[in-house]
Amino acid sequence: MHAPDGFIDVPVSAAAGLLAAGAIAVSLRGARRELDDTARTGAGAGAERTAPLAGLVAAFIFAVQMLNFPVAAGTSGHLLGGALAAILVGPYTGVLCVSVVLMLQAVLFADGGLTALGVNITTMAITTTVVAYALFRGLVKVLPRSRRSVTAASFVAALVSVPASAVVFTLLYAVGGTTDVSIGKVATAMVGVHVLIGLGEAAITALTVGAVIAVRPDLVHGARGLRQRLKLRVNGELVDAPETAEPVPAAARSPRKVWIAGLVTSLVLAGFVSFYASADPDGLEKVAADHGIDQQAEEHAVADSPLADYGVKDVDDARLSGGLAGVIGVGVTVVAGTGVFWAVRRRRTTDEQAEAPSPAGTSV
């Protein structure tokens, strides 16, 4: 779904870039609240640990995006990640997670054009996150309060988010496309293939959310408030059991094991499993080739990058080259993502300290 340079003209690409910049600015403010809430309610996660968890989500999305899966004859798809990020860490933080991934992919791996970065953030980060989280919250409100309901809502939200992204791309292309093609045919092809890709997205999202909920539901943003009071039967009637005042030891609630497991999983997926991913073009690439959209595609500005096309330059063995590139990508993403979210958290803490009233009898 990564659009290269040349698919969409400069004015529309610039407008999408402004939209993306505005959404990122809004998300930075919203992410401060989400990370702060996670630090308070994440079962002892602590402010200093929320940033690594959000950075891990970005790294996991990067890793899974390397795993193209077949969806039709000669066509593949890959995770977009907006739904997964929004449900795990919140919609604002989710936009930032996917945006960090897209920026690193464009700059280091020549995946997605630099002038098309605003388009890709708009379609793959903003659209998927907003659509998925809005639908997810609506479903969670009407479904029974259970872990299965959160997983089921995750599946549906992720499924819908992918064709929604395809629709937004088609609208952008209708306004700023650089090739004279039938928009109706493009829309039909884009939505059709991305519904199939959405099924893969939904399965990955639901499995991941379900796995995290099974071990640490307190770390899933979309599962907050899921816990119900324990019921006791007294004289034949069910009553709420008294809440225990004894806190769970912080060490027992540490998310460190989850973080390590997530990082190891990301490294294995990117460094080893990615070699077996489908080599067929993804949905956008296939539609572009079939309808002549790719006629105006431009060579990437960093096509000579040492990591271009997810391979390490001058490493001849394809398996080793791709594996090293994947491992490097996961490492860079987790560091960059953690740095961004740490800075966001630190900025909120600094702002709160600056706004706090001075103690009586002292001057400021």
Side-chain angles (χ1 to χ4, degrees):
M1 191 71 177
H2 297 72
D5 296 321
F7 273 21
I8 295 180
D9 62 23
V10 174
V12 174
S13 294
L18 291 175
L19 174 62
I24 289 174
V26 172
S27 297
L28 285 170
R29 295 181 63 87
R32 292 172 193 167
R33 295 190 298 270
E34 288 173 348
L35 294 172
D36 188 54
D37 289 343
T38 300
R40 285 202 211 95
T41 64
E48 73 282 0
R49 296 179 184 177
T50 56
L53 287 172
L56 175 63
V57 171
F60 182 77
I61 290 172
F62 173 89
V64 181
Q65 281 196 2
M66 294 183 65
L67 309 180
N68 279 47
F69 48 85
V71 295
T75 309
S76 70
H78 63 73
L79 181 82
L80 301 187
L84 178 61
I87 295 166
L88 288 179
V89 293
Y92 296 107
T93 310
V95 169
L96 296 180
C97 281
V98 182
S99 296
V100 167
V101 172
L102 293 173
M103 291 177 188
L104 292 175
Q105 288 172 332
V107 173
L108 297 181
F109 297 91
D111 189 10
L114 296 180
T115 62
L117 185 57
V119 171
N120 289 327
I121 290 176
T122 298
T123 57
M124 296 177 64
I126 301 170
T127 300
T128 57
T129 301
V130 171
V131 170
Y133 196 72
L135 180 55
F136 172 81
R137 294 306 306 172
L139 290 172
V140 167
K141 288 182 179 179
V142 299
L143 292 173
R145 292 167 57 84
S146 68
R147 296 178 182 180
R148 289 184 179 180
S149 294
V150 173
T151 303
S154 302
F155 183 95
V156 176
L159 170 61
V160 175
S161 71
V162 178
S165 177
V167 169
V168 171
F169 173 83
T170 303
L171 292 174
L172 291 174
Y173 195 82
V175 177
T178 55
T179 306
D180 185 16
V181 297
S182 170
I183 295 302
K185 292 182 178 179
V186 171
T188 301
M190 283 291 291
V191 174
V193 72
H194 283 91
V195 167
L196 298 178
I197 295 173
L199 291 171
E201 177 107 9
I204 295 170
T205 300
L207 287 172
T208 304
V209 171
V212 179
I213 286 180
V215 294
R216 290 296 301 268
D218 54 291
L219 297 181
V220 179
H221 180 91
R224 289 182 183 176
L226 182 64
R227 189 181 65 175
Q228 295 176 313
R229 292 281 296 275
L230 179 65
K231 298 287 186 178
L232 296 178
R233 187 174 295 278
V234 179
N235 296 326
E237 296 183 1
L238 289 176
V239 298
D240 289 333
E243 292 188 356
T244 178
E246 183 179 355
V248 180
R253 303 182 305 189
S254 171
R256 183 178 301 173
K257 291 182 179 179
V258 173
W259 190 90
I260 293 174
L263 181 60
V264 170
T265 301
S266 300
L267 290 171
V268 170
L269 291 175
F272 177 73
V273 181
S274 62
F275 180 77
Y276 301 97
S278 173
D280 291 333
D282 67 19
L284 176 57
E285 292 171 337
K286 179 63 173 176
V287 172
D290 289 347
H291 293 81
I293 295 175
D294 60 352
Q295 294 177 7
Q296 300 298 320
E298 300 174 1
E299 185 179 8
H300 202 286
V302 293
D304 293 331
S305 165
L307 298 173
D309 297 324
Y310 299 95
V312 177
K313 192 174 183 179
D314 297 330
V315 176
D316 297 329
D317 185 275
R319 185 190 297 270
L320 180 59
S321 178
L324 286 175
V327 169
I328 292 171
V330 168
V332 171
T333 305
V334 76
V335 170
T338 300
V340 168
F341 296 117
W342 180 81
V344 169
R345 272 287 308 148
R346 186 181 183 188
R347 173 66 180 274
R348 180 170 177 83
T349 303
T350 302
D351 290 345
E352 289 176 346
Q353 292 174 346
E355 293 173 0
S358 301
T362 63
S363 59
V364 179

